[in-house]
Amino acid sequence: MIKRKVTVKNKEGLHARPATQLVKIASKFKSEVALAKNGLEVNGKSIMGVMTLAAALGTELTLQVHGPDEEKALAELIDLFERKFDEE
């Protein structure tokens, strides 16, 4: 399992559109993906789970990926956060 901290950098935070992007990318990998914030851990392949985090601009999340393709999955997910979900 690999973990990385990521920060929400887009102005509107993890609302429906970026949450959907995140879930789409997470779901194309075999690895399990989880996001954690302040002790709350959710399934990164669940739109409802991701939305539950209510992650606004500046929120720091821990991204955890475990499985056969974890490195590639983590790299794509981090890239999504770095690109601000292509919103800006």
Side-chain angles (χ1 to χ4, degrees):
M1 175 171 38
I2 49 179
K3 294 181 181 182
R4 291 287 191 283
K5 292 205 183 283
V6 290
T7 302
V8 177
K9 297 179 177 178
N10 56 318
K11 284 184 187 175
E12 303 298 324
L14 279 183
H15 60 85
R17 197 184 77 73
T20 300
Q21 284 182 289
L22 191 150
V23 169
K24 274 186 181 177
I25 289 176
S27 296
K28 73 180 190 179
F29 293 99
K30 292 181 180 177
S31 296
E32 295 175 21
V33 176
L35 288 153
K37 175 185 134 188
N38 299 333
L40 173 64
E41 185 176 308
V42 300
N43 181 348
K45 296 182 179 181
S46 162
I47 187 77
M48 292 305 292
V50 174
M51 296 292 292
T52 300
L53 294 171
L57 172 66
T59 301
E60 188 172 86
L61 303 171
T62 302
L63 192 54
Q64 301 175 46
V65 186
H66 178 68
D69 49 7
E70 62 189 22
E71 289 186 22
K72 187 165 173 55
L74 183 67
E76 285 198 33
L77 291 166
I78 287 173
D79 181 57
L80 186 62
F81 277 88
E82 292 299 316
R83 291 188 343 249
K84 301 179 184 177
F85 297 88
D86 299 323
E87 289 194 329
E88 298 171 26

